[in-house]
Amino acid sequence: MAIVLFLVAGFLVGGVIQLVRSGATKFSIGLVGVLAALATAGGILWSV
């Protein structure tokens, strides 16, 4: 399960990068960034 969460986090980080490049709103960038951070934290906590 931790690997799945890290994969999701990777996709979300890529989404943040694409949102920044396309000039999206700060809210959408922040929302996807928070989801990426939560997925990363979940992956770390699940692997402990």
Side-chain angles (χ1 to χ4, degrees):
M1 186 68 182
I3 293 182
V4 172
L5 287 169
F6 285 129
L7 284 172
V8 170
F11 282 120
L12 289 171
V13 168
V16 168
I17 293 169
Q18 287 302 111
L19 285 171
V20 169
R21 287 183 183 172
S22 67
T25 62
K26 290 187 180 193
F27 175 76
S28 61
I29 294 170
L31 179 65
V32 177
V34 166
L35 290 175
L38 287 174
T40 303
I44 290 171
L45 290 175
W46 199 283
S47 65
V48 171

